[in-house]
């Protein structure tokens, strides 16, 4: 991590400022597989805490595997706090795994581009979900999820860049450590707001 921090600090002093003020960021890690993808679907456009609460409800109700997610009725999902749209996405994912359209076990041996190509085919799994899966589960070192509200807001605040294309061009210079840059931006965003989350 030190190598990444040295590199990023040489590109922009904001990274050193974040570390001086708030310390080193945690490196989020999650297990690979179906459960994490379900959790990521639940996390789309809601807070991590509220998604986690729903996820834990599902797990308390039934084991979270593809077979069980297809058995659950829409009404059961609704009672567990899952929206109709997200219920559909979870079922599409479960079907893809059971039909062997998606081989989750093979993803770690593939490049980030190949993983993206595999997952993007599934309705309900977009670039943000894939970015987070690559970063948290497959420890991809060079990604910045520019579909993430916290990342966008922090770039606006610290770098005064408001245009998405300009953000992309600016953050390209943080390669090959863009994931570490993201962890620092998240760290700043949460600490400044006195928020603590468990990935």
């Amino acid at each position: 991590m030190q190598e990444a921090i040295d590199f990023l600090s040489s590109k922009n002093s904001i990274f050193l400022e974040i570390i001086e003020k708030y310390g080193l960021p945690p490196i989020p890690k999650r297990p690979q597989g179906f459960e994490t993808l379900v959790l990521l679907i639940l996390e789309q456009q809601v807070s991590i805490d509220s998604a986690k609460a729903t996820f834990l409800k599902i797990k308390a109700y039934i084991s979270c595997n593809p077979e069980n997610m297809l058995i659950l009725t829409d009404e059961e999902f609704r009672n567990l706090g899952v929206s109709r749209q997200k219920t559909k996405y979870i079922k599409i994912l479960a079907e893809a795994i059971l039909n062997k359209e998606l081989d989750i076990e093979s993803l770690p041996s593939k490049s980030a581009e190949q993983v993206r190509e595999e997952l993007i085919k599934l309705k309900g799994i977009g670039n943000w979900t894939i970015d987070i899966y690559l970063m948290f589960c497959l420890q991809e070192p060079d990604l910045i999820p520019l579909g993430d509200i916290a990342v966008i807001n922090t770039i606006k605040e610290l770098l005064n860049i408001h245009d998405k294309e300009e953000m992309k061009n600016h953050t390209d210079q943080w390669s090959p450590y863009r994931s570490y840059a993201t962890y620092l931006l998240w760290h700043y965003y949460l600490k400044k707001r006195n928020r603590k989350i468990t990935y």
Side-chain angles (χ1 to χ4, degrees):
M1 189 177 182
Q2 192 54 51
E3 193 179 306
I5 285 165
D6 292 344
F7 175 84
L8 292 168
S9 303
S10 74
K11 295 288 177 188
N12 201 302
S13 61
I14 62 155
F15 295 112
L16 268 186
E17 287 162 27
I18 291 170
I19 293 164
E20 278 164 13
K21 194 164 185 184
Y22 297 121
L24 291 171
I27 305 296
K29 283 192 173 67
R30 283 183 181 171
Q32 297 163 28
F34 177 74
E35 275 201 5
T36 295
L37 278 170
V38 169
L39 176 55
L40 286 172
I41 288 170
L42 294 171
E43 280 178 5
Q44 292 166 8
Q45 288 157 346
V46 300
S47 76
I48 284 184
D49 293 338
S50 108
K52 198 172 200 174
T54 305
F55 181 65
L56 293 174
K57 267 192 216 166
I58 294 171
K59 287 188 66 167
Y61 185 71
I62 196 167
S63 180
C64 183
N65 59 45
E67 293 82 1
N68 284 344
M69 294 303 99
L70 286 178
I71 289 166
L72 284 186
T73 65
D74 288 4
E75 192 182 351
E76 284 174 300
F77 269 113
R78 193 167 57 248
N79 292 339
L80 292 164
V82 184
S83 72
R84 200 171 63 208
Q85 199 176 32
K86 289 183 180 179
T87 296
K88 194 163 100 182
Y89 297 162
I90 290 167
K91 292 196 172 204
I92 288 169
L93 171 65
E95 267 173 9
I97 289 167
L98 294 175
N99 296 341
K100 307 271 191 292
E101 288 163 39
L102 174 67
D103 178 8
I104 287 194
E105 306 303 317
S106 72
L107 296 181
S109 64
K110 295 182 172 172
S111 70
E113 286 70 29
Q114 289 169 321
V115 171
R116 192 176 303 280
E117 278 169 26
E118 289 275 306
L119 292 175
I120 204 83
K121 293 176 199 163
L122 300 175
K123 190 171 168 61
I125 295 188
N127 283 314
W128 178 84
T129 304
I130 296 165
D131 286 345
I132 304 299
Y133 191 83
L134 281 164
M135 290 165 71
F136 287 19
C137 304
L138 303 178
Q139 266 65 65
E140 170 59 43
D142 192 27
L143 271 178
I144 185 149
L146 289 176
D148 187 274
I149 297 297
V151 169
I152 289 170
N153 286 345
T154 305
I155 289 173
K156 284 177 181 174
E157 183 182 336
L158 295 179
L159 298 170
N160 197 25
I161 299 172
H162 296 264
D163 176 72
K164 201 78 169 276
E165 195 54 37
E166 211 182 316
M167 278 184 197
K168 192 202 168 302
N169 294 337
H170 188 89
T171 58
D172 279 350
Q173 66 181 301
W174 301 341
S175 183
Y177 295 114
R178 284 175 296 181
S179 297
Y180 292 93
T182 304
Y183 302 143
L184 281 156
L185 296 175
W186 276 333
H187 191 50
Y188 172 88
Y189 181 87
L190 291 166
K191 287 283 186 189
K192 190 173 183 210
R193 288 157 181 79
N194 264 325
R195 282 181 55 200
K196 191 170 170 26
I197 58 170
T198 314
Y199 295 108

